[in-house]
Amino acid sequence: QAKEQGRDRYVFFEPAMDEALKVRRKIEEEMRAGLERDEFFLLYQPIFTSDGRRMVGVEALVRWHHPEHGDQLPAFFLPIAEESDLIWSIGAWVLKTAMRDALAWPTLTLSVNVSPSQLRHPGFVPYLSRSLAETGFPRDRLELEVTEAVLMDHTASAKRIVNELKELGIGLALDDFGTGYSSLSYLRQFHFDKFKIDRSFVTHVETEAESAAIICSLVGLGEALGMKITAEGIETPQQHRFLQAAGCDYLQGFYFGEPMTAAQVMETFHSRAKPMPLAAIA
Ligand code: C2E
Ligand code: MG
Ligand code: MG
Ligand code: MG
């Protein structure tokens, strides 16, 4: 009976699984073609000092302009890219394109997200170092953002890669900090320059005492470890006020600026109109 049911289920599920797989394959092929047709593009989200007055960097965020379905977010296509060598090709394109763009923005730090499989690719560090040489991008203005997933499971090789990256002289930030499994032990083992407090804490900072408490202790932890702290996902002046008072070094979020085209970056850098001075909203 159980076997019978199992077989029924198998017969029932197979076409659906097959369909999902087909869709993924199709998207994969479209991404491959899209890379050749130049359908990927980058937006840059500004990062400010905690008083909100000085723009000190940008984070590159990849987008895909699908010919039929329009602009797509990374949450849609990167997980599929992760399953093949595509993540490597897209990641390589992102790195080089971002460095070329950012050459035009003196003083601004360029943050680039790197996914776990990208980082573990044996060609990653050589490619990065070649790209730095080819573009002439100053390495002390480049920062890679990685999530804890990079450090999980592969501690020995992760350590080697992290050390190689540090030897290159680029910055390393731990992204989405606080959302993973054993963040604290990673902080002990890997000496990152910075961590980014995840948006999920920032969003609830005014309504949840827990979020506020966690943010304050994360800032204390960062200070004790000599790390810089960026808070991400700030959408309101109240959140800005809280995070500035909490002692974050850098702030990022829609309140300060949404992801924008390369052409808009310098304009934003020079405009002091936004955000409003704290005194005006107090
Ligand atoms: P992330 O690195 O944590 O980037 C922050 C995400 O939050 C971005 O979404 C950004 O648009 C969004 N965001 C920023 N400020 C706010 C805010 O105030 N409110 C809200 N609601 N959202 C805000 P996006 O661009 O969709 O990227 C999502 C994730 O995809 C990124 O999270 C990053 O992990 C990954 N990603 C993006 N670009 C790349 C890339 O070039 N390579 C790799 N490997 N991953 C990337
Ligand atoms: Mg990031
Ligand atoms: Mg993040
Ligand atoms: Mg995040």
Side-chain angles (χ1 to χ4, degrees):
Q1 178 68 30
K3 225 175 197 172
E4 201 70 19
Q5 267 180 14
R7 202 178 297 147
D8 281 347
R9 246 181 242 135
Y10 179 70
V11 170
F12 178 75
F13 271 112
E14 195 189 29
M17 299 261 294
D18 213 43
E19 231 11 79
L21 203 66
K22 267 189 204 150
V23 170
R24 290 178 87 90
R25 291 243 169 83
K26 178 162 184 280
I27 296 170
E28 212 179 290
E29 273 166 38
E30 288 176 340
M31 272 192 275
R32 236 173 264 287
L35 263 175
E36 297 202 341
R37 290 196 296 244
D38 237 0
E39 289 168 5
F40 289 87
F41 64 101
L42 293 178
L43 295 181
Y44 296 93
Q45 188 178 29
I47 299 169
F48 284 80
T49 50
S50 66
D51 60 8
R53 307 223 169 166
R54 198 158 55 87
M55 180 171 156
V56 290
V58 287
E59 175 176 7
L61 296 163
V62 69
R63 299 288 183 267
W64 176 23
H65 181 77
H66 190 284
E68 292 149 54
H69 308 300
D71 292 353
Q72 303 295 322
L73 291 170
F76 168 68
F77 62 90
L78 284 187
I80 300 172
E82 287 272 354
E83 288 176 7
S84 69
D85 58 319
L86 267 169
I87 189 64
W88 166 251
S89 322
I90 294 172
W93 179 85
V94 167
L95 255 179
K96 205 171 262 181
T97 307
M99 282 195 256
R100 288 203 179 114
D101 282 349
L103 271 177
W105 310 324
T107 77
L108 292 188
T109 296
L110 170 67
S111 301
V112 178
N113 293 284
V114 178
S115 79
S117 47
Q118 215 184 327
L119 199 81
R120 278 195 228 107
H121 190 290
F124 180 73
V125 177
Y127 177 83
L128 176 63
S129 122
R130 224 166 37 241
S131 304
L132 283 164
E134 277 171 29
T135 57
F137 192 76
R139 43 197 70 206
D140 59 345
R141 283 209 280 126
L142 178 65
E143 175 180 86
L144 298 186
E145 295 191 4
V146 302
T147 57
E148 286 166 70
V150 163
L151 313 174
M152 284 166 68
D153 312 327
H154 301 264
T155 313
S157 62
K159 237 178 208 153
R160 183 179 47 76
I161 296 166
V162 165
N163 286 335
E164 285 174 8
L165 291 172
K166 292 183 102 172
E167 274 166 31
L168 273 183
I170 62 170
L172 286 174
L174 204 47
D175 207 348
D176 305 336
F177 191 72
T179 57
Y181 290 102
S182 35
S183 320
L184 296 181
S185 84
Y186 292 129
L187 286 189
R188 190 169 55 78
Q189 293 181 62
F190 299 91
H191 303 276
F192 281 72
D193 305 288
K194 181 187 287 176
F195 60 76
K196 300 183 81 168
I197 297 178
D198 192 67
R199 170 157 60 92
S200 54
F201 299 110
V202 173
T203 304
H204 301 290
V205 76
E206 289 167 286
T207 49
E208 272 181 23
E210 291 84 356
S211 284
I214 288 169
I215 285 177
C216 290
S217 57
L218 286 181
V219 172
L221 181 67
E223 278 170 358
L225 292 172
M227 297 172 79
K228 295 287 182 197
I229 301 149
T230 303
E232 54 181 15
I234 291 150
E235 296 184 345
T236 68
Q238 290 78 15
Q239 289 167 354
H240 173 198
R241 228 174 346 187
F242 184 93
L243 287 144
Q244 180 183 11
C248 290
D249 300 286
Y250 307 110
L251 305 176
Q252 185 179 5
F254 292 169
Y255 176 62
F256 297 104
E258 295 193 16
M260 59 186 71
T261 64
Q264 296 169 299
V265 168
M266 272 296 109
E267 200 180 304
T268 304
F269 176 76
H270 290 298
S271 82
R272 300 282 169 105
K274 226 189 143 186
M276 285 193 295
L278 285 180
I281 54 169

